[in-house]
C-alpha cells in the first residue's frame, strides 16, 4: 500500500472513496479539525496542529485538482498556522496561502460562498506592507467588498470586514458588520466554528463599546 493510500486509510476513508466523495464530504473533516484546533486547543500547540492538518488538506487538494473548496481549506489552514507562528516563517506561510487562494479563484470564485475572497482580503489586511510583506489595505477592502457581494449575510465576511474597519479606525462602521455577523444564519455542521466566531465578535464589540470613530 502506498504512503498516500495509507494516509487516507488513517483518516478513515479509502483512496477510491476519497476520489468519489462529494465536495462537502471531502472538506468536512478539515473544517471540523480546524475548528477544534482554533477554539479548543491552547495557542502554544496550535501551530504544530495546523501543520499536521495542512498535510491532510494538501492531499485532498492534490487528489481533487479541480475542487476550489479543497484549495481554499488548505489555504485557511496554512494561513492559520501563519498567524500563530508570526515572524518570517509566518510570512512565508502567508505567501503560500495567498497563492492557493488565487489558484482557487481561477477555478470557482463563488466556491464556499466566496470564502477565497474573505480569506485573501484578511491576508492583505493583516500581513505587513512591502518591503516586509505584501500587505495592502486598499486591496484588502476591495476583496472584502467582493466577498460580501457573494455572501452578504455570512458570518465570516461580516466579522472580518468589521474587524478590518475597526483596525482602520472606522469603528462605527465596523461595529455594524460585527453586529450583522452575530445574527448571521447558522451553518449546518459548523456549530463550533459559528460559536467561536460569535464569541470573537462579541469580544470585539465589548472592546469598542463607546468608541465612536
Amino acid at each position: 500500500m502506498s504512503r498516500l493510500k495509507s494516509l487516507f486509510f488513517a483518516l478513515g476513508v479509502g483512496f477510491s472513496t476519497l476520489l468519489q466523495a462529494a465536495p462537502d464530504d471531502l472538506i468536512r473533516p478539515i473544517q471540523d479539525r480546524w475548528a477544534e484546533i482554533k477554539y479548543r486547543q491552547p495557542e502554544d500547540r496550535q501551530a504544530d496542529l495546523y501543520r499536521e492538518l495542512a498535510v491532510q488538506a494538501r492531499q485532498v487538494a492534490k487528489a481533487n485538482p479541480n475542487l476550489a473548496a479543497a484549495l481554499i481549506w488548505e489555504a485557511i489552514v496554512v494561513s492559520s498556522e501563519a498567524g500563530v507562528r508570526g515572524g518570517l516563517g509566518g510570512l512565508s506561510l502567508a505567501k503560500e496561502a495567498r497563492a492557493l487562494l488565487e489558484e482557487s479563484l481561477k477555478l470557482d470564485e463563488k466556491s464556499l460562498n466566496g470564502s477565497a475572497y474573505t480569506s485573501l482580503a484578511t491576508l492583505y489586511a493583516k500581513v505587513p506592507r512591502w518591503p516586509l510583506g505584501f500587505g495592502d489595505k486598499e486591496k484588502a477592502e476591495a476583496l472584502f467588498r467582493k466577498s460580501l457581494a457573494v455572501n452578504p449575510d455570512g458570518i465570516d465576511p461580516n466579522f472580518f470586514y468589521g474587524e478590518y474597519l475597526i483596525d482602520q479606525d472606522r469603528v462605527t462602521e465596523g461595529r455594524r458588520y460585527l453586529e450583522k455577523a452575530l445574527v448571521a444564519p447558522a451553518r449546518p455542521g459548523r456549530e463550533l466554528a459559528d460559536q467561536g466566531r460569535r464569541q470573537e465578535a462579541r469580544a470585539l464589540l465589548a472592546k469598542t463599546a463607546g468608541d465612536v470613530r
Side-chain angles (χ1 to χ4, degrees), residues 32-50:
D32 292 348
R33 181 58 177 153
W34 174 86
E36 290 173 2
I37 295 170
K38 180 170 179 60
Y39 295 115
R40 289 182 173 168
Q41 295 295 329
E43 188 171 333
D44 61 359
R45 293 196 60 215
Q46 288 181 2
D48 290 340
L49 293 173
Y50 284 134

Side-chain angles (χ1 to χ4, degrees), residues 4-171:
L4 185 58
K5 289 184 180 180
S6 297
L7 174 60
F8 291 146
F9 275 104
L11 293 175
V13 294
F15 184 68
S16 61
T17 302
L18 180 60
L19 293 178
Q20 297 170 9
D24 287 349
D25 293 332
L26 290 171
I27 64 172
R28 187 172 294 113
I30 307 300
Q31 291 176 330
D32 292 348
R33 181 58 177 153
W34 174 86
E36 290 173 2
I37 295 170
K38 180 170 179 60
Y39 295 115
R40 289 182 173 168
Q41 295 295 329
E43 188 171 333
D44 61 359
R45 293 196 60 215
Q46 288 181 2
D48 290 340
L49 293 173
Y50 284 134
R51 175 64 58 90
E52 293 173 4
L53 183 59
V55 172
Q56 298 176 17
R58 189 168 299 115
Q59 296 300 340
V60 173
K62 285 183 177 179
N64 300 271
N66 295 316
L67 183 60
L71 289 171
I72 292 169
W73 266 100
E74 182 183 351
I76 289 171
V77 175
V78 170
S79 63
S80 296
E81 182 187 349
V84 176
R85 289 196 186 278
L88 293 177
L91 180 58
S92 176
L93 290 167
K95 290 178 179 178
E96 180 183 340
R98 178 181 62 169
L100 291 166
L101 292 166
E102 289 173 343
E103 186 177 349
S104 79
L105 287 170
K106 294 176 184 177
L107 294 173
D108 182 2
E109 65 180 1
K110 294 184 178 180
S111 178
L112 300 178
N113 291 319
S115 290
Y117 284 129
T118 305
S119 296
L120 196 55
T122 303
L123 284 173
Y124 277 107
K126 293 182 179 292
V127 167
R129 287 182 176 271
W130 187 90
L132 293 177
F134 59 83
D136 186 322
K137 304 298 185 184
E138 291 182 359
K139 186 172 288 189
E141 177 133 14
L143 289 164
F144 277 127
R145 295 286 186 181
K146 286 186 176 182
S147 72
L148 285 162
V150 176
N151 187 18
D153 298 320
I155 188 170
D156 281 345
N158 280 287
F159 171 79
F160 283 110
Y161 188 44
E163 181 186 50
Y164 163 82
L165 290 170
I166 288 170
D167 287 343
Q168 297 303 299
D169 291 331
R170 294 158 63 184
V171 177

